[in-house]
Amino acid sequence: MRHVFETMGTVASIEIAPTDAAQSLMPRLEAVFAEADARFSLYRPDSELSRVASGALTLMDASDEVRHAYGESLNWRDATGGAFTPNRPDGVTDLNGIVKAECIASAGILLENAGESGWSVNVGGDVLTSVSQQDGHPWTIGIVDPFDRTALLCSIDLVGGKRAVATSGSAERGDHVWLGGSTTPATFVQVTVVADDIITADVLATAILAGGAASLDEATERWNVDVLTIDRDGGMRATPGIRATISAPL
Amino acid sequence: MRTRAVITSIFASIGVLLIGWQAGQTATTTTVSTPQASGTTARTSTTTSAATSAAASSASPSVAPAAPVGPKAKDGTYAGSSVNTQFGSVQVQVTISGGAITDVTPLHLTDQGGRSVQISNYAAPILHDEVLQAQSSRVSNVSGATYTTDAYLSSLQSALDKAGF
């Protein structure tokens, strides 16, 4: 079955075997996202993070959750040489980059702890799956064509323990990625990262989109990830892992 | 820093190799005067039969071979020559299948100290054809740049969700 709900300014789609047990988990899953949204959304003036942004609350006085997310964002900023950062050029602290991924990860843990298998969680185009589909086949994830968003560019099978796919692009939500105040256009219009976990996939997709070819080389060298990038002129680059799964006979 | 330089040099040698291959292909086009049945791909045979019927309608069915046969690079894997760059020697390998390059892989890289450089997870250029043949009907999830709630309504994911796929 599909359970679809709006959250964090986008839509979440959960695919899971249609059992009563699975059905009863849905309110808890929605709550994971709703709680984080209430705390971290910058679109809600009453959220804790909005109060931090407006100066009404200092980070030091903020909740453990906000300080934890900020700390994680800073760790990733250091790990990616600043390509990923929670500090927007306008001075506002934006933790959406990490919070959505952490919520997806929490949803996955909730499903696992409940003994569910054969599930997928897709929030705004970032996908986390169980090890395999219900029938044991690997999950096949379609990658959207950045030049025609109603078409697929290709599909990728999730194999070898990789369960997470995140895509960053400059086509939608241009504010999502900050190019460090640079006026030069980004090298890539879309970056897809396949990783063992959704946080690594999400952060590195953002970092490579922001940091261009240099960040791409660094990410593929330092992390166990597969990457597919689309240049402004439509040229593509892929790591061997992606190449292997997209050319597999289907 | 060095890795980046080495990678840049791979691109340079891929470029050299591609140019070389294209030049070879051009040369083939100009020198091949008769069609070689054994080397005819599915695509060229279509062209040939179209030309045959065109020729038939002009009442000269036996002159089909006059139709140009596309240049045919032999399928296989070709290692380029090692190119010395200021960053060390670089060698890449090209796979040709059905008359088109289907893969480019770095074979050997050395740094300035002459040591081999291992690049196991380098993101190399990939060709559209390689991607297009991988379309799948088994897709149940779509990954894309974060869509807004409004954009979701017109997205592929929305269509899959509606289908309960």
Side-chain angles (χ1 to χ4, degrees), chain A residues 76-77 80-85 177-178 206-208 210-211 215:
Chain A
W76 277 109
R77 184 191 66 185
T80 59
F84 176 91
T85 174
V177 177
W178 316 300
T206 306
I208 294 168
S215 291

Side-chain angles (χ1 to χ4, degrees), chain A residues 19-150:
Chain A
T19 62
D20 289 347
Q23 193 73 57
S24 69
L25 287 172
M26 294 306 127
R28 287 169 62 196
L29 278 177
E30 287 201 29
V32 168
F33 290 93
E35 281 165 22
D37 199 23
R39 196 185 292 279
F40 292 98
S41 173
L42 289 172
Y43 297 99
R44 298 166 179 236
D46 58 331
S47 79
E48 187 180 346
L49 199 61
S50 286
R51 289 190 290 128
V52 171
S54 69
L57 181 70
T58 66
L59 268 172
M60 291 306 290
D61 295 325
S63 64
D64 287 350
E65 285 86 349
V66 164
R67 282 186 289 127
H68 165 78
Y70 189 63
E72 286 296 298
S73 292
L74 292 184
N75 288 342
W76 277 109
R77 184 191 66 185
D78 294 346
T80 59
F84 176 91
T85 174
N87 301 314
R88 266 182 8 198
D90 60 4
V92 170
T93 302
D94 188 340
L95 301 176
N96 287 321
I98 201 120
V99 167
K100 188 176 75 165
E102 286 193 334
C103 282
I104 298 173
S106 299
I109 290 167
L110 198 152
L111 289 165
E112 265 169 10
N113 289 346
E116 294 290 337
S117 60
W119 51 265
S120 68
V121 177
N122 184 349
V123 183
D126 292 341
V127 186
L128 176 70
T129 69
S130 56
V131 178
S132 68
Q133 297 189 60
Q134 203 74 48
D135 62 6
H137 283 108
W139 288 96
T140 302
I141 310 296
I143 307 300
V144 89
D145 182 344
F147 303 106
D148 175 7
R149 306 189 64 77
T150 62

Side-chain angles (χ1 to χ4, degrees), chain A residues 96-97 100 167-169 172-178 202 206 209, chain B residues 146:
Chain A
N96 287 321
K100 188 176 75 165
T167 298
S168 274
E172 265 183 52
R173 286 200 165 183
D175 61 338
H176 181 64
V177 177
W178 316 300
D202 207 345
T206 306
L209 186 69
Chain B
T146 307

Side-chain angles (χ1 to χ4, degrees), chain A residues 2 6 9-10 13 100 120 122 124-125 140 142 144 150 153-155 167 172 220-221 225 234 236-238 243 246 250, chain B residues 3 103 121 123-126 128 130-131 134-136 138 140-149 152 156-157 161 165:
Chain A
R2 283 287 171 127
E6 284 188 43
T10 184
S13 314
K100 188 176 75 165
S120 68
N122 184 349
T140 302
V144 89
T150 62
L153 189 67
C154 63
S155 60
T167 298
E172 265 183 52
T220 55
E221 198 172 290
V225 293
M236 292 183 282
R237 295 181 206 184
R243 196 174 282 243
I246 64 174
L250 297 166
Chain B
T3 312
D103 198 12
N121 198 31
I126 187 168
H128 274 273
E130 200 174 338
V131 166
Q135 299 288 4
S136 171
R138 290 195 285 111
S140 61
N141 268 290
V142 176
S143 181
T146 307
Y147 37 73
T148 58
T149 310
Y152 165 81
L156 285 171
Q157 184 64 38
D161 289 342
F165 186 55

Side-chain angles (χ1 to χ4, degrees), chain B residues 17-28:
Chain B
L17 208 59
L18 288 181
I19 291 162
W21 181 71
Q22 280 163 347
Q25 196 182 38
T26 311
T28 313

Side-chain angles (χ1 to χ4, degrees), chain B residues 2-68:
Chain B
R2 176 158 291 167
T3 312
R4 204 160 298 145
V6 167
I7 283 164
T8 309
S9 64
I10 299 179
F11 276 115
S13 43
I14 288 171
V16 167
L17 208 59
L18 288 181
I19 291 162
W21 181 71
Q22 280 163 347
Q25 196 182 38
T26 311
T28 313
T29 315
T30 53
T31 53
V32 170
S33 54
T34 53
Q36 293 163 332
S38 61
T40 307
T41 63
R43 219 175 349 191
T44 45
S45 65
T46 311
T47 315
T48 310
S49 61
T52 308
S53 53
S57 65
S58 61
S60 46
S62 62
V63 296

